[in-house]
Amino acid sequence: DQQVKQNSPSLSVQEGRISILNCDYTNSMFDYFLWYKKYPAEGPTFLISISSIKDKNEDGRFTVFLNKSAKHLSLHIVPSQPGDSAVYFCAASEVHAGNMLTFGGGTRLMVKP
Amino acid sequence: KAGVTQTPRYLIKTRGQQVTLSCSPISGHRSVSWYQQTPGQGLQFLFEYFSETQRNKGNFPGRFSGRQFSNSRSEMNVSTLELGDSALYLCASSLLADTQYFGPGTRLTVL
């Protein structure tokens, strides 16, 4: 039972345009959501997070949107840069239950010059 | 601040052996979590330690164990290695129950 799903295994975007990565979850107890960027054979790098009490959080070129009723979150990258090419994972946790992240399967983003 | 460090970075073992991996969290972080990444199963939670106590455990067999020391450093142990244990093992640390920061991982290959 996949509680966190990233339905697009890959996404290709032109440099300078917007990249939108999507994530769906089924567990209504999740109250903290994070996005990580990962290169092969390296650990995930934290990008941005959002608590369930918010519906939007921005940090520079990265914005995360949370739609609790639809159990959906998305990461927007504007403008996209070639250096953004990597695998992006969304993750979710129940804060009161401690640190146990449930990850989606990842989306490979390719930003073309 | 120095990030999360993991040793060793690469390890080759044979079936039936056991292995111990080490993780040093970011200074001041008290929570250490371990994850396994494989091509087939993705990133899966193994366990979490907070103040030397296991606080959460994922769905892995008892061959996978861990511990945390008083300085928050953590080790995980896998006994009786199987081919399917070949994976990237990732350690993450956090201050409390919040954002987790990951180390570079230990690549374990079981032959």
Side-chain angles (χ1 to χ4, degrees):
Chain A
D1 173 33
Q2 263 189 298
Q3 297 188 63
V4 178
K5 286 185 183 179
Q6 294 175 254
N7 290 318
S8 299
S10 64
L11 175 68
S12 183
V13 170
Q14 207 66 34
E15 181 179 6
R17 307 295 290 267
I18 183 171
S19 295
I20 300 176
L21 297 98
N22 295 302
C23 180
D24 296 295
Y25 63 96
T26 57
N27 186 345
S28 57
M29 299 300 290
F30 287 146
D31 51 13
Y32 191 61
F33 304 88
L34 309 92
W35 284 93
Y36 288 89
K37 173 181 175 181
K38 190 179 185 302
Y39 296 111
E42 292 184 13
T45 300
F46 170 71
L47 284 173
I48 192 168
S49 62
I50 188 167
S51 161
S52 60
I53 62 173
K54 293 185 170 183
D55 55 17
K56 178 183 173 182
N57 189 28
E58 283 182 82
D59 185 0
R61 297 187 298 115
F62 302 94
T63 302
V64 56
F65 295 91
L66 175 61
N67 182 332
K68 287 187 292 292
S69 60
K71 294 191 178 68
H72 177 84
L73 65 154
S74 61
L75 174 68
H76 292 208
I77 306 174
V78 185
S80 301
Q81 300 171 355
D84 295 329
S85 298
V87 178
Y88 288 77
F89 290 93
C90 69
S93 70
E94 300 175 45
V95 173
H96 73 280
N99 274 332
M100 174 178 160
L101 289 177
T102 301
F103 281 88
T107 296
R108 181 177 300 279
L109 174 66
M110 294 163 283
V111 180
K112 298 180 179 178
Chain B
K1 273 188 183 178
V4 178
T5 58
Q6 292 187 245
T7 56
R9 292 294 312 276
Y10 302 93
L11 207 48
I12 299 175
K13 292 285 188 179
T14 56
R15 277 181 299 174
Q17 287 186 310
Q18 75 164 14
V19 67
T20 299
L21 312 181
S22 181
C23 171
S24 292
I26 292 171
S27 177
H29 284 192
R30 297 168 63 189
S31 169
V32 174
S33 299
W34 289 89
Y35 294 83
Q36 180 197 64
Q37 186 185 25
T38 59
Q41 298 298 319
L43 275 155
Q44 292 189 292
F45 173 79
L46 279 156
F47 29 67
E48 181 213 358
Y49 286 87
F50 184 86
S51 294
E52 301 179 65
T53 301
Q54 188 180 85
R55 188 159 68 171
N56 279 300
K57 189 177 190 307
N59 189 23
F60 278 82
R63 300 185 297 107
F64 292 81
S65 63
R67 59 178 176 168
Q68 186 181 33
F69 302 95
S70 58
N71 61 358
S72 293
R73 192 177 70 84
S74 177
E75 290 180 346
M76 69 163 280
N77 184 274
V78 188
S79 62
T80 320
L81 284 165
E82 301 176 359
L83 294 178
D85 297 333
S86 294
L88 181 66
Y89 289 89
L90 293 158
C91 167
S93 78
S94 65
L95 201 55
L96 297 168
D98 53 2
T99 301
Q100 293 184 45
Y101 297 91
F102 284 82
T106 294
R107 168 69 64 184
L108 172 65
T109 301
V110 182
L111 302 175

